[in-house]
Amino acid sequence: MRRRLDPRRTAEEFLRSFIITIDGPSGSGKTTTARLIAQRLGLRHVDTGAMYRAVTLLAIERGVDTGDAERLGELAEALKIDVLAEPEREPRIRIDERDVTEAIRDPRITAAVSAVSAHRAVRAAMVKRQRELADQGGVVLEGRDIGSVVLPWADVKIYLDAVVRVRAERRSAELARAGVNAAVDDVARELDVRDTLDASREASPLQRPVGAYLVDTSETTIEEQVERVVSLARSAAEERARTRALVTPSQRIRAAYWATCTFVQFIFRVLWGMRVKSYLRIDRAQHYLFASNHISYFDPPAVSVTLPREVHFVAKDTLFKIWWLGRVIRFYNAFPIKRGVFDREAMGHALTLLQSNRSVLIFPEGGRVAGGKLGEARSGVGYLAIRSGAPVVPVYVEGTDRLKDSFFRRTRVRVIHGKPIRIPAELLAEYQSEDDRALYRRYSDMVLAAIQALKERSRS
Ligand code: DC
């Protein structure tokens, strides 16, 4: 049968393609919950903690010190691990075909895993695989940083938590089933140490991701918590289907804007071999906040001509003083921003635009950052996203800083649009009830993590 051409998808179709993330401290019930949810919804399941445990197991077997960042990084990079569990199967963890499902639960591994997983090189290698595993969708991933760093664009994010006593009782019972006798007090102390390490490390600390529902499991049964997550996922899928079905366009693109953008894009393609890759499936009725890295003065035109919306963007106020340039950039929806200070007026204007269903392009690093590495995120993008509620589309651009060298395609200009980061309406209402700069900052960090993910796949 031919696939329907209708771009509208049903809630059920959305649900089957969803990425669901479950983060939380040890003993909060992540693994059991994730497994049952995956079974209920027919999704695959990835236990990312098992991946860090597998690296730790190999390190111990090969006598690699848990402080040796370089060798641990190499081990993680070379690791051949199989963690993906199909919906109906008991998950087995394999390294090079060897079944290590039980071995990685050994107390020696548990004691060493926090130190191993704190190394940036180890995390980078694991995060890359986790993103690959999530690529096709239809998967539940559980861990500590999945909704915040690994997959900021996940469709449903959950943060499971429980008071430490309850978590210790669960762990102790679990150990008893495996034939290990451990007093609840001792387990509680050990959990506390591990939580502190996981939450205080510099690289991707354990935190409740922005946009994650908090599910406290201290007093719920496992069935109740599974039911709660399943119903949250179902409503998210229904909401997505509803938004997709809306047909009134958010904003019409002016003909002259569209025509010149098409022309400029053509020039970029011919002269600089521009390539555009997009993971974005836009909803007609939706406006977006596009957030791009920034390496050159040519980014605003290079990025905006590739976007499926007419966008508004900020430009240095001094540019508006050059009369002809001022007129040109105003036509392309630029509005002035003062450099070097937090320009409240410009941010207010961007917010007003978003609130009146216009799309905006901003550069979350706050200015150009040269040298091939992304800079630090400012709080601006988080502020605009939370205050306006607009989904944020991460964008990665490269090559615009070498237009002279890349003339006639020696190096290409590339632009990649990622999947939108969305915050559920009830959480947005909660966030909007206060003015929390730390929250804006965490949102901005998440956007930068998403741009970093696009950067890493720009060559693949
Ligand atoms: O969930 P678990 O106990 O199997 O996790 C083992 C360790 O791995 C835990 O101490 C923290 C670390 N971990 C992590 O740093 N990031 C993840 N995404 C998952 C686990």
Side-chain angles (χ1 to χ4, degrees):
M1 204 177 83
R2 269 184 55 197
R3 269 185 72 81
R4 278 184 310 153
L5 290 173
D6 186 351
R8 281 174 282 176
R9 292 162 75 183
T10 63
E12 210 39 55
E13 284 171 307
F14 270 113
L15 195 55
R16 260 183 279 129
S17 71
F18 262 8
I19 298 173
I20 301 179
T21 64
I22 303 189
D23 290 297
S26 326
S28 54
K30 294 189 302 290
T31 307
T32 319
T33 312
R35 191 144 76 216
L36 291 171
I37 290 162
Q39 273 172 13
R40 278 275 298 275
L41 299 175
L43 307 176
R44 298 163 304 145
H45 165 219
V46 178
D47 172 0
T48 64
M51 299 170 77
Y52 291 98
R53 286 173 178 272
V55 178
T56 310
L57 174 72
L58 269 196
I60 290 178
E61 283 177 353
R62 299 192 184 166
V64 177
D65 192 88
T66 56
D68 188 340
E70 196 178 327
R71 285 199 60 201
L72 287 171
E74 287 164 11
L75 259 188
E77 194 67 53
L79 184 72
K80 290 217 167 55
I81 184 171
D82 181 12
V83 281
L84 193 72
E86 295 300 328
E88 294 306 326
R89 269 198 263 131
E90 185 71 12
R92 305 303 299 177
I93 316 294
R94 292 190 182 79
I95 308 179
D96 282 326
E97 309 288 312
R98 172 163 67 113
D99 191 325
V100 294
T101 314
E102 278 79 35
I104 57 167
R105 303 284 155 200
D106 188 279
R108 278 193 315 155
I109 308 293
T110 306
V113 65
S114 283
V116 171
S117 64
H119 294 292
R120 280 181 195 282
V122 173
R123 301 203 74 79
M126 294 297 109
V127 167
K128 183 161 178 276
R129 305 221 185 151
Q130 290 155 13
R131 286 181 181 146
E132 284 163 6
L133 289 169
D135 228 18
Q136 302 300 320
V139 62
V140 183
L141 288 101
E142 46 138 327
R144 302 288 191 288
D145 59 342
I146 312 300
S148 52
V149 174
V150 183
L151 300 161
W153 54 88
D155 302 281
V156 182
K157 298 179 188 179
I158 306 292
Y159 188 76
L160 279 193
D161 206 355
V163 293
V164 70
R165 185 83 205 164
V166 172
R167 295 192 279 122
E169 282 163 7
R170 286 182 192 149
R171 264 286 139 95
S172 166
E174 196 179 287
L175 287 168
R177 280 195 295 277
V180 181
N181 225 340
V184 175
D185 284 341
D186 295 338
V187 179
R189 222 166 301 128
E190 188 214 312
L191 282 183
D192 219 21
V193 170
R194 206 141 64 93
D195 290 348
T196 311
L197 284 175
D198 293 343
S200 60
R201 68 174 176 228
E202 207 186 311
S204 315
L206 168 69
Q207 53 167 291
R208 176 181 166 192
V210 183
Y213 290 100
L214 176 63
V215 178
D216 191 317
T217 68
S218 305
E219 288 171 17
T220 53
T221 64
I222 193 83
E223 289 76 24
E224 283 166 340
Q225 74 215 35
V226 168
E227 196 45 54
R228 166 126 172 84
V229 177
V230 166
S231 82
L232 287 170
R234 282 200 193 286
S235 5
E238 280 156 19
E239 179 56 31
R240 295 283 297 114
R242 229 186 341 263
T243 317
R244 179 57 56 90
L246 299 174
V247 290
T248 313
S250 74
Q251 186 199 352
R252 297 207 180 277
I253 301 186
R254 288 171 294 159
Y257 180 101
W258 180 84
T260 43
C261 281
T262 308
F263 177 69
V264 172
Q265 189 171 163
F266 173 75
I267 298 292
F268 266 106
R269 282 181 194 266
V270 172
L271 298 185
W272 292 287
M274 180 191 252
R275 287 278 181 278
V276 181
K277 192 143 98 182
S278 190
Y279 299 99
L280 169 66
R281 298 281 161 273
I282 54 160
D283 294 326
R284 274 173 76 83
Q286 182 68 64
H287 58 287
Y288 297 92
L289 174 55
F290 296 94
S292 171
N293 65 314
H294 194 5
I295 48 175
S296 143
Y297 289 123
F298 292 100
D299 294 335
V303 171
S304 60
V305 297
T306 70
L307 298 175
R309 286 281 181 278
E310 185 167 332
V311 289
H312 298 252
F313 62 95
V314 294
K316 259 197 305 203
D317 51 358
T318 48
L319 298 182
F320 290 85
K321 304 219 166 83
I322 308 169
W323 71 271
W324 63 270
L325 189 58
R327 289 186 72 151
V328 171
I329 60 181
R330 266 188 212 284
F331 178 80
Y332 291 99
N333 304 319
F335 58 94
I337 189 167
K338 288 192 207 70
R339 292 297 305 274
V341 290
F342 182 82
D343 186 340
R344 277 200 176 277
E345 206 181 313
M347 288 309 256
H349 185 62
L351 185 56
T352 310
L353 287 165
L354 288 165
Q355 285 165 339
S356 50
N357 294 350
R358 307 284 161 142
S359 292
V360 171
L361 165 65
I362 71 160
F363 299 101
E365 299 151 303
R368 281 172 301 129
V369 177
K373 278 209 168 144
L374 297 181
E376 290 248 321
R378 306 285 191 84
S379 56
V381 64
Y383 167 81
L384 291 177
I386 287 173
R387 291 282 132 202
S388 71
V392 176
V393 176
V395 177
Y396 174 68
V397 56
E398 69 176 24
T400 41
D401 53 345
R402 293 187 306 262
L403 293 185
K404 240 167 52 202
D405 318 337
S406 63
F407 206 39
F408 285 112
R409 303 179 184 198
R410 266 187 301 249
T411 53
R412 286 183 189 284
V413 171
R414 286 174 207 273
V415 181
I416 314 180
H417 314 153
K419 292 186 182 157
I421 301 171
R422 296 187 168 83
I423 307 281
E426 35 314 15
L427 291 178
L428 257 184
E430 191 184 303
Y431 294 156
Q432 285 168 348
S433 67
E434 50 195 319
D435 188 27
D436 182 352
R437 287 210 91 166
L439 178 72
Y440 303 149
R441 213 17 227 274
R442 285 204 290 130
Y443 194 120
S444 301
D445 287 344
M446 183 167 78
V447 173
L448 233 71
I451 298 175
Q452 177 71 33
L454 296 175
K455 177 175 188 224
E456 279 161 22
R457 60 189 308 167
S458 67
R459 306 264 154 212
S460 59

